[in-house]
Amino acid sequence: MATTVQPVEQQNYLNSNYGIKSWLLTTDHKRIGLLYLMSITLFFFLGGFFAMLIRLELLTPASDLMQSDNYNKVFTMHGIIMVFLFLIPSIPAVLGNFLVPLMVGAKDLAFPKINLASWYLFMLGGVVALYGMVTGGVDTGWTFYTPFSTTYSNTNVVTVAIGVFITGFSSIFTGLNIMVTVHRMRAPGMTWGRLPLFIWSHYATSVIMVLGTPVIAITLLLVALERLFHIGIFNSQLGGDPLLFQHLFWFYSHPAVYIMILPSMAVISEIVACYSRKRIFGYNFVALASVAIAVFGFLVWAHHMFVAGISVYAAMIFSLLSFLVAIPSAVKVFNWTATLYKGSVHFDTPMLYAFGFIGLFTIGGLTGLFLASIGIDVHVHDTYFVVAHFHYIMVGGAVMGYLGGLHFWWPKISGRLYPEGWAKLSALLIFVGFNVTFFPQFLLGYLGMPRRYAAYPEEFQVLNVLSTAGASILAVGYVLPMIYFVWSLRYGKIAGPNPWNAAGLEWRTSSPPPTYNFEETPIVTWEAYNYDEISEEKGVEVAG
Amino acid sequence: MEQQRETAAFGMWLFLVTEIMFFGGMFCAYLVYRVSYFDAFVAGSQKMNITLGALNTAVLICSSVTMVLGVHAAKTNRRRATVLFLLLTIMLGLVFLGIKAVEYHEHWIAGEFPGPNFHFDGPDPRHTQLFFSLYFAMTGLHALHMIIGICVVGTIAYFAWKGHYSSEFHTPVEITGLYWHFVDVVWIYLFPLLYLISHKH
Amino acid sequence: MWPNLPLFPERASTLAGRVDALYFFLIAVALFFTTLIAVLILVFSIRYRKQRQLKAKQIEGSLALELTWTLIPLSIAMVMFVWGSAVFFYQARPPRGAMEIYAIGKQWMWKFQHVEGQREINELHIPVGRDVKMIMTSQDVIHSFFVPAFRVKADVLPSRYTSTWFRATTPGTYHLFCAEYCGTQHSGMIGRIVVMEPSAYEAWLGGGGTEGSLSATGQKLFQELGCATCHRSDTQGRGPNLVGAFGKPVILEDGRTVVADETYVRESILNPGAKVVSGFKPIMPTFEGQVSEEGLVSLVAYIKSLSQTQQGTQKQNEPAAPVPAGK
């Protein structure tokens, strides 16, 4: 990992010791963050590979590239890998792991050994899930709806469900670690009101992880038990109710969407502040919005079930609550935008990602209102409209935030700068490719193209071809950063402790940070985002 | 040291919140189904062995007491007493599992284990089977927690015997105690829900 | 190669116009806010780019602004909520006197049964301008009945009946999709809805031999299974009298009240012990495995007809309560 080309680097977490054991047995949150980074990058490209297969199959109306049973497995594996093995751990387990202790001025997370154990759990779950996929696959969709998953599917549902069950514990432990760290490990003077918004968002995310994940764990366990022992908790022929599964599943899986998007919002807050050289407009409101999203997120699960046979009045209540959860998200978008006002705006790559995030998240969020509005949801539910909507949130939102954050903190993680020109190019490719891929899907959805179709009527073809073309651009955009990040490890310019001249404790230690993060425990006497106190002369020019 | 102890205890409390959610899903399922299929659930409840259930409740309460005594012994630096009480706790845990196994066996013999061989003479066997599905899932999950608990207490007892704990450092004993009490409390809810409330005399 | 490129779905039901109107409103709102954010970002970031604005002006925030952009979106959201719910209410409540069609979903086909006795697979003929209520169940997994041109969708679940309704406004042929993923041939579970002029529909109904109406089939099955020995039309039967029972509240043994709807009738045939009518003994044997889903549908239709004879059958064929046309 660490380069040895440069003469005499100071001691840091990368070069403090070498060898595979020093990585696999490390309890350093920064190294564990990197372990996660490598594993989820692998899963991301695997999930992306399946996405490409889906898009290629949908080039033509007939199911000619794959038989429909293979297509069903491919979209299922795309969903499971992307949701459980990439998106959920992406920012919290990589950037959160790396940055939370640095940002609160701690030596490490509260429970370093549990942190390492959670990576092993994640890998174990991932390997079990992959094993299930390799030895026959699974075709239930990532939602595992009963009674198809419990009774009718002939694929490896149990193995994959157990894999997901195990990774669930990994995110429970990550969430627990972050929560305890924020509560108990803050440096002297780091009051709640001085915490960076990154921490607030991660705190909210952790609440969801701790409260929500066990519910899906038990639900998938019951699915496995039902398949293995023919007990009938969800099986209507045995007296159970398949809708109970949907209630339990979405009780977790709707908040899980916020597990994916809140950390992205965390990243965006940091980036927007830094590249506007300003404190975040309405700090308190942005912080509270995170918590509000986490709380309301638990109350809207049944909006996935408007056409599933729930009562009219239940549907209306969940519709109302779903509209309410949109408000704090809107508040955040407005505050980020207002932060630019009278700022000193720098167009570095992370800022481009932040702009991309705000734009795409706005579209994703607003189309969410279409789905919360029951009259329209009845028509677009389970169509490509929904597919487009949640990709705008999860890819346009979560992945943009993740990549933006990775660029922003790459100098801190690696000690090196990435090549700015290439990075801007790839940000542009991703933005354009993303929109070309997913915007046509809104139209497809309102036209009525159902999701999870291997074959479709001919009149949908043009929009599908457009979408596949966009996906190819997107693919290039995603491969590029991978290449230049690796390149920069050896050839990138030395970053120095604070190349962006950013506020935040993590920039007050060397890059890469020493094993115990700070030479001496920092004492905080300032608010977050004190950009007025950071002189501009030392400033961004260093970054070139 | 104090800081570390509080941090660990805080972590454990959070973990227990997770556990509540873990069991919570099944409690919700149980309550919803019970309201929907009241008679069938009452019929299933009649088949519970209240004597053994009550005995097990007593056993678990005793084990919580021995656990408290163990933690106290660790705090007051009494190594032998700590080990003794922890071993007693394990014993009681095993007794609980043994009695539970007897109960499972009875249900198995009576054809009350859900699945293709399920057999029940009653007006609504299908939903009585649902009761038994939930019964086995909930008590099974609880038993799994007991097994994990016994292993953890065993490990703690080993380290206590090795003299790892003192009045200054006994955090592991304390948070294991928290976990053990939690598992007991879950049973305190399971017992009335499954055995008592729909039992007609 | 590319026959056509539609960008907007056909509109062929009274509901479609209502959904589309709301849809356009939401698009307008979405466009407004997306444009607003995009323009603000562009203007701010260019106006205050570092070359022009070397030092940022620190601004704490503004309670007034925060309240503005909380309350305005909130009130717009409430408009959407009320409007969306109104459309949903219209959609969720079948008008009285709608003609009923039974649908059974199975992996991977749609089976339809008209009350007049016609059966169809993956194809459904309906008349234009009549309210049609679909009463649907599934033989296996969850399916979903989706007709984009009608803006109608409803999940089809095993072991219960769900329903939806529509009134077609334009004759033509429209897609029927299964929208809930249901296994290998999910994308093959598609069909056609053929909307016909009433006269053509009558002709279609008349053509082709049928074995009599659905309720007649049900009546035959009712006799064959021996249901009539207990469910007699006097008060002497060991089971409840079914005449006039459908759609009425039933008091159960444990004191609860349920409405005797399609799902209740179905459950009482397959799992009689679950909800026993007050005053009767749980002696009815289960008919699980003896009656197919089609048979159950015909039994339901028959039991329903026992209640309709009392109120007068003609009601079925009367035009529905006036509904403002969507277009």
Side-chain angles (χ1 to χ4, degrees):
Chain A
M1 243 356 248
T3 169
T4 47
V5 173
Q6 295 298 322
V8 217
E9 280 182 15
Q10 62 191 115
Q11 274 280 316
N12 63 49
Y13 80 103
L14 292 170
N15 64 14
S16 61
N17 47 16
Y18 295 96
I20 195 93
K21 252 175 83 178
S22 78
W23 281 87
L24 291 182
L25 297 178
T26 182
T27 52
D28 182 348
H29 66 101
K30 299 182 287 303
R31 286 193 165 200
I32 295 171
L34 289 193
L35 289 176
Y36 268 113
L37 175 65
M38 286 182 270
S39 2
I40 70 161
T41 304
L42 194 77
F43 287 126
F44 176 72
F45 281 99
L46 194 58
F49 169 71
F50 286 125
M52 273 327 280
L53 286 181
I54 294 173
R55 283 313 330 159
L56 287 175
E57 163 58 45
L58 294 178
L59 263 178
T60 56
S63 71
D64 34 20
L65 178 71
M66 284 175 271
Q67 292 296 309
S68 51
D69 52 346
N70 284 329
Y71 178 80
N72 295 343
K73 287 178 187 172
V74 165
F75 77 67
T76 301
M77 294 190 274
H78 165 70
I80 291 177
I81 291 173
M82 284 304 200
V83 170
F84 294 111
L85 301 177
F86 170 69
L87 281 168
I88 289 178
S90 60
I91 297 180
V94 177
L95 296 175
N97 228 326
F98 196 98
L99 292 165
V100 167
L102 281 164
M103 283 187 170
V104 302
K107 279 200 288 239
D108 204 320
L109 283 167
F111 308 112
K113 283 182 195 158
I114 289 179
N115 194 21
L116 180 67
S118 75
W119 179 73
Y120 275 100
L121 277 175
F122 174 72
M123 288 313 283
L124 178 67
V127 167
V128 170
L130 283 186
Y131 171 79
M133 292 179 187
V134 172
T135 59
V138 60
D139 69 345
T140 58
W142 77 277
T143 47
F144 293 99
Y145 267 24
T146 61
F148 181 71
S149 62
T150 50
T151 316
Y152 291 89
S153 173
N154 296 318
T155 51
N156 289 337
V157 180
V158 173
T159 320
V160 176
I162 288 174
V164 174
F165 177 83
I166 298 171
T167 55
F169 281 91
S170 143
S171 59
I172 290 176
F173 287 131
T174 303
L176 205 133
N177 229 330
I178 290 177
M179 270 179 93
V180 177
T181 306
V182 174
H183 267 278
R184 308 221 33 108
M185 310 281 285
R186 281 170 286 133
M190 181 59 96
T191 58
W192 287 89
R194 287 174 180 167
L195 286 173
L197 290 165
F198 185 92
I199 300 293
W200 274 102
S201 271
H202 269 77
Y203 187 80
T205 309
S206 305
V207 171
I208 302 176
M209 284 173 154
V210 166
L211 293 180
T213 320
V215 179
I216 198 172
I218 192 67
T219 310
L220 292 180
L221 197 66
L222 289 175
V223 166
L225 288 177
E226 194 159 326
R227 266 184 91 84
L228 292 171
F229 301 114
H230 306 286
I231 65 173
I233 292 173
F234 302 128
N235 184 341
S236 60
Q237 278 160 3
L238 297 172
D241 186 348
L243 287 189
L244 178 72
F245 172 85
Q246 296 182 23
H247 281 294
L248 291 175
F249 180 85
W250 289 115
F251 183 80
Y252 163 77
S253 288
H254 192 78
V257 176
Y258 300 110
I259 296 184
M260 303 172 207
I261 197 68
L262 275 170
S264 249
M265 296 171 156
V267 169
I268 299 307
S269 295
E270 299 303 307
I271 293 177
V272 168
C274 174
Y275 294 107
S276 315
R277 317 302 306 158
K278 266 185 75 184
R279 67 177 348 109
I280 282 284
F281 192 90
Y283 170 97
N284 292 333
F285 290 92
V286 180
L288 283 178
S290 295
V291 180
I293 289 172
V295 173
F296 279 117
F298 275 106
L299 306 174
V300 298
W301 75 89
H303 70 208
H304 297 266
M305 300 166 64
F306 285 155
V307 299
I310 60 172
S311 84
V312 179
Y313 299 100
M316 284 182 57
I317 290 168
F318 280 103
S319 166
L320 179 64
L321 290 166
S322 305
F323 279 113
L324 293 183
V325 81
I327 302 299
S329 302
V331 166
K332 285 193 166 211
V333 169
F334 287 123
N335 278 299
W336 290 321
T337 311
T339 304
L340 300 174
Y341 177 71
K342 296 204 169 170
S344 167
V345 180
H346 296 53
F347 290 92
D348 296 77
T349 309
M351 191 61 158
L352 297 188
Y353 277 105
F355 288 157
F357 172 96
I358 297 175
L360 299 181
F361 177 74
T362 302
I363 297 176
L366 286 166
T367 50
L369 298 177
F370 289 60
L371 301 173
S373 180
I374 326 177
I376 295 178
D377 182 72
V378 168
H379 176 55
V380 294
H381 177 76
D382 269 334
T383 67
Y384 265 79
F385 192 94
V386 175
V387 175
H389 157 70
F390 72 70
H391 280 89
Y392 264 81
I393 299 285
M394 291 183 185
V395 185
V399 178
M400 289 297 250
Y402 173 64
L403 286 175
L406 215 51
H407 284 86
F408 186 55
W409 283 291
W410 187 251
K412 185 53 60 183
I413 293 170
S414 69
R416 303 281 183 152
L417 291 173
Y418 55 82
E420 188 68 33
W422 284 103
K424 280 187 171 140
L425 175 68
S426 96
L428 189 71
L429 282 178
I430 290 174
F431 185 78
V432 172
F434 176 85
N435 280 302
V436 177
T437 310
F438 291 104
F439 199 82
Q441 297 186 1
F442 283 123
L443 301 172
L444 276 173
Y446 202 74
L447 275 171
M449 178 167 166
R451 62 196 283 205
R452 297 174 172 178
Y453 263 32
Y456 55 83
E458 275 187 7
E459 68 256 33
F460 299 145
Q461 187 175 15
V462 179
L463 290 169
N464 269 300
V465 170
L466 197 58
S467 181
T468 303
S472 338
I473 304 175
L474 195 55
V476 176
Y478 283 141
V479 172
L480 268 180
M482 165 107 165
I483 296 170
Y484 62 69
F485 275 142
V486 173
W487 176 89
S488 76
L489 284 177
R490 184 172 275 268
Y491 304 104
K493 272 190 251 169
I494 299 288
N498 192 358
W500 316 126
N501 206 19
L505 275 184
E506 79 273 26
W507 301 105
R508 296 191 172 225
T509 184
S510 50
S511 305
T515 302
Y516 291 109
N517 292 349
F518 299 96
E519 299 301 333
E520 52 195 66
T521 307
I523 294 166
V524 184
T525 54
W526 58 89
E527 309 243 302
Y529 313 114
N530 54 336
Y531 280 99
D532 47 341
E533 290 161 27
I534 297 174
S535 76
E536 190 63 26
E537 291 80 60
K538 273 196 330 193
V540 183
E541 304 314 315
V542 182
Chain B
M1 246 345 158
E2 183 61 19
Q3 162 97 8
Q4 236 175 42
R5 197 180 68 82
E6 280 177 22
T7 302
F10 184 62
M12 193 62 193
W13 279 108
L14 271 185
F15 181 70
L16 295 183
V17 171
T18 295
E19 291 275 22
I20 290 174
M21 297 304 291
F22 199 66
F23 279 96
M26 288 212 277
F27 275 104
C28 284
Y30 176 84
L31 292 174
V32 170
Y33 281 146
R34 198 186 127 80
V35 170
S36 306
Y37 310 111
F38 182 74
D39 287 338
F41 270 51
V42 169
S45 206
Q46 304 297 315
K47 297 289 176 182
M48 295 292 114
N49 189 331
I50 289 208
T51 320
L52 289 184
L55 187 61
N56 250 348
T57 311
V59 168
L60 273 194
I61 291 173
C62 290
S63 81
S64 261
V65 174
T66 56
M67 191 73 221
V68 171
L69 292 172
V71 174
H72 184 70
K75 275 184 189 169
T76 48
N77 252 336
R78 290 174 300 149
R79 186 172 67 94
R80 290 172 63 96
T82 312
V83 177
L84 180 74
F85 283 124
L86 290 180
L87 287 179
L88 264 176
T89 309
I90 293 175
M91 281 274 298
L92 289 166
L94 289 172
V95 168
F96 174 90
L97 288 175
I99 295 176
K100 200 74 229 162
V102 171
E103 278 186 76
Y104 279 177
H105 184 71
E106 281 179 0
H107 292 305
W108 178 264
I109 297 292
E112 286 157 3
F113 187 78
N117 298 324
F118 183 81
H119 172 79
F120 187 80
D121 291 320
D124 188 4
R126 190 193 295 221
H127 292 120
T128 306
Q129 179 173 356
L130 191 59
F131 170 83
F132 278 104
S133 293
L134 285 164
Y135 164 78
F136 278 102
M138 290 164 95
T139 57
L141 191 68
H142 177 258
L144 185 69
H145 276 78
M146 290 293 296
I147 293 169
I148 294 168
I150 288 170
C151 295
V152 176
V153 177
T155 317
I156 296 295
Y158 172 78
F159 284 120
W161 182 58
K162 286 279 185 185
H164 279 235
Y165 307 125
S166 61
S167 51
E168 276 81 48
F169 176 70
H170 51 270
T171 314
V173 191
E174 209 175 340
I175 63 170
T176 307
L178 277 179
Y179 176 83
W180 189 267
H181 297 316
F182 169 81
V183 178
D184 289 358
V185 168
V186 171
W187 178 257
I188 300 296
Y189 282 93
L190 283 176
F191 178 59
L193 268 185
L194 293 168
Y195 290 69
L196 295 181
I197 51 172
S198 29
H199 204 88
K200 290 177 186 161
H201 295 283
Chain C
M1 165 142 186
W2 295 348
N4 45 6
L5 173 60
L7 292 173
F8 202 77
E10 292 169 289
R11 205 182 283 172
S13 75
T14 52
L15 176 66
R18 291 163 185 253
V19 173
D20 289 350
L22 176 59
Y23 182 64
F24 290 133
F25 171 65
L26 264 81
I27 287 185
V29 173
L31 265 180
F32 172 75
F33 279 102
T34 311
T35 318
L36 178 73
I37 297 290
V39 167
L40 284 180
I41 287 183
L42 274 177
V43 169
F44 287 168
S45 59
I46 292 170
R47 167 72 185 75
Y48 302 110
R49 64 186 186 274
K50 67 176 170 192
Q51 289 83 352
R52 286 192 56 180
Q53 181 93 356
L54 198 60
K55 186 119 180 92
K57 186 171 184 296
Q58 300 302 322
I59 302 167
E60 190 73 33
S62 151
L63 183 64
L65 266 179
E66 299 288 348
L67 286 177
T68 312
W69 62 49
T70 305
L71 294 178
I72 290 178
L74 184 67
S75 46
I76 297 175
M78 286 308 101
V79 173
M80 291 176 184
F81 165 67
V82 171
W83 191 345
S85 300
V87 173
F88 178 61
F89 250 75
Y90 174 76
Q91 195 268 331
R93 309 243 151 144
R96 294 176 72 84
M99 64 179 267
E100 295 182 342
I101 295 175
Y102 291 84
I104 298 167
K106 70 170 288 231
Q107 288 176 325
W108 290 277
M109 61 168 80
W110 293 102
K111 297 189 274 192
F112 297 105
Q113 300 203 354
H114 296 255
V115 283
E116 291 83 0
Q118 268 77 5
R119 293 157 180 243
E120 302 185 70
I121 286 179
N122 288 345
E123 197 165 61
L124 177 63
H125 290 76
I126 54 160
V128 72
R130 282 274 299 277
D131 297 327
V132 177
K133 181 183 178 191
M134 304 296 303
I135 301 169
M136 306 178 290
T137 187
S138 162
Q139 223 167 290
D140 35 51
V141 301
I142 300 176
H143 303 282
S144 191
F145 179 89
F146 177 32
V147 185
F150 295 169
R151 314 287 188 274
V152 155
K153 184 184 288 115
D155 282 8
V156 176
L157 291 107
S159 303
R160 78 172 73 168
Y161 291 96
T162 54
S163 64
T164 186
W165 79 278
F166 44 82
R167 179 200 272 205
T169 50
T170 322
T173 306
Y174 306 101
H175 285 299
L176 162 66
F177 293 124
C178 173
E180 184 66 68
Y181 174 67
C182 60
T184 310
Q185 292 300 330
H186 171 54
S187 59
M189 193 168 162
I190 55 179
R192 307 191 305 154
I193 307 279
V194 183
V195 178
M196 309 167 92
E197 292 294 348
S199 53
Y201 178 70
E202 290 304 325
W204 177 83
L205 267 187
T210 60
E211 313 117 46
S213 73
L214 191 59
S215 53
T217 315
Q219 186 174 19
K220 221 163 74 190
L221 192 57
F222 195 78
Q223 302 295 342
E224 278 169 21
L225 293 169
C227 311
T229 43
C230 297
H231 294 287
R232 288 162 48 172
S233 51
D234 50 35
T235 48
Q236 308 300 310
R238 281 181 290 172
N241 179 0
L242 298 180
V243 176
F246 188 86
K248 302 271 161 54
V250 179
I251 299 169
L252 302 184
E253 226 183 354
D254 56 18
R256 289 181 303 159
T257 307
V258 294
V259 174
D261 58 3
E262 290 93 351
T263 302
Y264 175 73
V265 172
R266 183 187 192 284
E267 184 183 33
S268 298
I269 297 169
L270 297 182
N271 189 21
K275 286 167 189 152
V276 181
V277 178
S278 165
F280 293 90
K281 293 201 181 76
I283 47 165
M284 177 168 159
T286 173
F287 287 86
E288 177 116 58
Q290 300 176 46
V291 197
S292 64
E293 283 299 338
E294 285 87 344
L296 286 166
V297 161
S298 66
L299 284 172
V300 168
Y302 170 62
I303 289 167
K304 206 183 270 184
S305 73
L306 291 178
S307 306
Q308 276 154 355
T309 359
Q310 290 204 324
Q311 299 160 357
T313 347
Q314 310 92 302
K315 211 169 174 194
Q316 269 265 339
N317 297 325
E318 277 170 15
V323 176
K327 153 176 157 159

